Amino acid sequence: MIQDLLSIASGALVGFTLGLVGGGGSILAVPLLIYVVGVPSTHVAIGTSAVAVAASAAANVIGHARAHTVKWPCAIVFALSGIIGAALGAELGKRVDGHRLLLLFGVLMVVVGLAMLRPRKSGGNPDVRLDRASMARLLPLLIGIGLGVGALAGFFGIGGGFLIVPGLMGATAMPLINAIGSSLVSVTAFGLTTATSYAFSGLVDWRLAALFVIGGALGGLAGIKLAHHLASYRRALTLTFSGIVIAVGIYVIVAALLR
């Protein structure tokens, strides 16, 4: 019962963070599953979090699609390329020792926290699209960056939105709002690919995943609601969250080294 409540609470924290600052929350899922919920295996934590991340992203992409912020051709090409990378990354991640993988994950958290300190540019070309005229220029960039980002997402069992958003902007020069909406297509695809790979290896705790998803849905609603009230302080919130990610990353690194 205690583990169930901790799973729902951890999922709620991840969902709340995603709703509040618009990204980065999924990277907290693995440390929460290991250090709060008490999942003993790093690989099971990664597989379980991948299920929760995919479910959360799938729910959110519906809202962005209704708002017409998804650049579907670009998003689909990026996602399909990333699926190949995610499958390869997941297979490689399962072959790495759990403690070493956790150490690398902690390093990634610190890097992500530092990257989030950089302000995002909201400009871009809102009319960009993948068609016959732009294919020769955009297709190689979308495929190449998609493969790389997918591999990282699969290796660490994360959604990778913090990498996908700048990747889409760099490849196509689309505005931030379109990159966020389009990135959720890839987050869903990468999460499903990683989850499937880990599930076939018996490395997913489906009960905990379901509880995590329930908590994430509740937390996401609360986070979005609070974000509307604190819109003018979003930069301060992002900075605070970056600090939390860096601190947790350092803790994960130290804990992995001590093990």
Side-chain angles (χ1 to χ4, degrees), residues 43-44 46-48 50-51 90-91 94 191-206:
H43 294 104
V44 172
I46 289 176
T48 303
V51 175
E91 288 301 315
K94 288 186 292 185
L192 285 174
T193 303
T194 305
T196 300
S197 176
Y198 275 75
F200 275 118
S201 299
L203 297 172
V204 174
D205 189 321
W206 293 102

Side-chain angles (χ1 to χ4, degrees), residues 2-235:
I2 294 177
Q3 188 182 48
D4 290 352
L5 293 175
L6 290 174
S7 298
I8 294 174
S10 297
L13 179 59
V14 169
F16 178 79
T17 303
L18 285 168
L20 187 61
V21 299
S26 61
I27 200 170
L28 293 174
V30 172
L32 285 170
L33 282 168
I34 293 174
Y35 298 112
V36 177
V37 180
V39 175
S41 167
T42 301
H43 294 104
V44 172
I46 289 176
T48 303
S49 70
V51 175
V53 168
S56 176
N60 282 290
V61 77
I62 296 173
H64 279 274
R66 288 175 177 172
H68 305 290
T69 57
V70 180
K71 297 280 188 180
W72 285 106
C74 294
I76 290 172
V77 170
F78 196 96
L80 290 176
S81 302
I83 286 173
I84 299 173
L88 295 173
E91 288 301 315
L92 180 60
K94 288 186 292 185
R95 299 174 187 273
V96 177
D97 174 73
H99 292 161
R100 184 173 298 175
L101 188 60
L102 201 58
L103 176 63
L104 293 173
F105 192 91
V107 173
L108 178 68
M109 290 187 71
V110 173
V111 173
V112 170
L114 293 173
M116 290 181 70
L117 295 175
R118 297 179 59 186
R120 290 175 171 177
K121 295 180 180 180
S122 59
N125 179 14
D127 298 320
V128 66
R129 65 183 62 198
L130 181 62
D131 52 24
R132 188 171 298 178
S134 62
M135 187 176 295
R137 178 174 57 87
L138 296 181
L139 204 57
L141 292 171
L142 287 167
I143 292 175
I145 297 175
L147 278 169
V149 171
L152 287 173
F155 184 79
F156 290 108
I158 55 177
F162 61 91
L163 294 172
I164 298 169
V165 171
L168 282 168
M169 293 176 69
T172 67
M174 66 174 63
L176 175 60
I177 185 62
N178 295 113
I180 292 173
S182 301
S183 73
L184 291 171
V185 178
S186 292
V187 173
T188 303
F190 297 175
L192 285 174
T193 303
T194 305
T196 300
S197 176
Y198 275 75
F200 275 118
S201 299
L203 297 172
V204 174
D205 189 321
W206 293 102
R207 186 164 171 273
L208 290 182
L211 293 171
F212 216 85
V213 170
I214 292 171
L218 297 174
L221 291 174
I224 291 172
K225 186 174 181 180
L226 182 59
H228 287 297
H229 291 289
L230 301 177
S232 60
Y233 299 98
R234 290 296 288 277
R235 179 59 180 164

Side-chain angles (χ1 to χ4, degrees), residues 228-251:
H228 287 297
H229 291 289
L230 301 177
S232 60
Y233 299 98
R234 290 296 288 277
R235 179 59 180 164
L237 290 170
T238 301
L239 292 174
T240 301
F241 180 67
S242 298
I244 294 173
V245 171
I246 293 171
V248 174
I250 293 173
Y251 174 81

